[in-house]
Amino acid sequence: MSAPVIAIDGPSASGKGTIASRVARKVGFHYLESGALYRLIALLSLREDTLDETRLARLAGEIDLAFDDGEVLLDDESVTEKVRSELVGNRASEVARLPGLRQALLARQRAFRRPPGLVADGRDMGTVVFPDAELKVFLTATPEVRAERRYKQLIEKGIDANLRALSRDLRERDQRDAQRAVAPLAPAPDSQVLDSTALSIDEVVESIVGWWRGRTGGRA
Ligand code: DC
């Protein structure tokens, strides 16, 4: 039997990264931030100045990447800050439309599924990558609240940000992600939708851990 998966999906800046990594810690599971994989490819796409699908799919299969306690490593180079930039995020949304690249990343993502279990966050975790996930959560929040959260995050890191521009970028990205032909942004039919607009991080984490424990009878 393969290790259990909790899939957490949702639009940009819905807080899924923070939530998913905390849920993983609480239940003692591994954690996959799939967006970071797309961001890594986006970084390479910017560095090589290419959107060539074949080239990017090949890179996706070949690159040496590692996630180490919040650090993102590419061929031993720490690119943690770089992959978090809005520039790379916007490019990630473009490269994520390429079916060949998504296909090439499937195996890499599934390799993270190891005992005792995996919490995976990202667009198509519950629909495409782990359709058999035991628990699927679709995390939402209004675009205004998401833009404000992203704004605070960037300012705290000392990165210059503009709330109106962020809000506009988020709406554009939502639209692009929802309308694309492959793996569009949408809740899996069997997912539980959680609106975090009025909830704290702790409340959201507790809800998800509660659902998980409810399913497993408190084993995890
Ligand atoms: O979640 P994020 O903002 O780090 O994701 C960056 C981009 O990658 C986002 O535009 C959606 C895309 N993405 C995707 O298509 N599929 C995933 N599993 C994860 C991210």
Side-chain angles (χ1 to χ4, degrees):
M1 232 180 58
S2 44
V5 174
I6 301 175
I8 301 183
D9 209 340
S12 268
S14 57
K16 59 187 186 297
T18 310
I19 303 293
S21 66
R22 291 207 195 179
V23 169
R25 223 177 304 142
K26 277 225 155 180
V27 300
F29 281 8
H30 300 286
Y31 167 53
L32 166 65
E33 181 196 348
S34 64
L37 290 177
Y38 286 91
R39 285 169 179 269
L40 272 175
I41 302 300
L43 179 65
L44 292 170
S45 148
L46 287 165
R47 282 184 177 173
E48 292 198 5
D49 193 19
T50 182
L51 277 168
D52 182 75
E53 186 166 1
T54 312
R55 172 75 188 138
L56 295 178
R58 176 189 288 248
L59 284 171
E62 285 176 354
I63 52 167
D64 185 12
L65 59 91
F67 299 106
D68 185 17
D69 207 15
E71 281 269 293
V72 184
L73 301 169
L74 174 64
D75 293 326
D76 291 331
E77 175 197 352
S78 174
V79 290
T80 317
E81 296 293 316
K82 290 195 184 99
V83 295
R84 303 266 171 248
S85 74
E86 288 300 299
L87 178 71
V88 171
N90 284 325
R91 176 61 76 108
S93 154
E94 283 183 60
V95 301
R97 283 189 286 184
L98 306 170
L101 171 64
R102 301 197 72 87
Q103 185 62 34
L105 283 176
L106 266 184
R108 294 210 83 141
Q109 294 174 99
R110 289 182 178 149
F112 283 84
R113 183 177 202 168
R114 280 175 284 120
L118 178 69
V119 178
D121 90 58
R123 280 316 121 79
D124 54 350
M125 293 299 104
T127 47
V128 178
V129 184
F130 304 109
D132 60 338
E134 275 73 7
L135 175 62
K136 302 178 185 180
V137 180
F138 193 83
L139 207 56
T140 62
T142 61
E144 292 75 24
V145 165
R146 287 189 281 128
E148 267 167 41
R149 289 177 184 166
R150 178 63 51 95
Y151 177 77
K152 275 195 205 141
Q153 236 175 22
L154 292 171
I155 295 296
E156 272 164 24
K157 284 190 206 151
I159 300 171
D160 202 21
N162 175 304
L163 189 56
R164 275 183 53 189
L166 277 177
S167 194
R168 188 194 56 223
D169 281 355
L170 268 183
R171 280 174 201 278
E172 279 176 12
R173 207 186 293 178
D174 279 359
Q175 223 169 27
R176 195 157 59 214
D177 289 346
Q179 284 168 0
R180 71 177 183 220
V182 274
L185 170 66
D190 49 351
S191 66
Q192 295 193 230
V193 177
L194 183 56
D195 186 342
S196 76
T197 303
L199 298 177
S200 70
I201 292 174
D202 283 344
E203 287 170 326
V204 176
V205 171
E206 283 313 318
S207 298
I208 298 173
V209 171
W211 286 340
W212 175 249
R213 294 201 167 128
R215 267 159 207 252
T216 58
R219 271 183 286 117

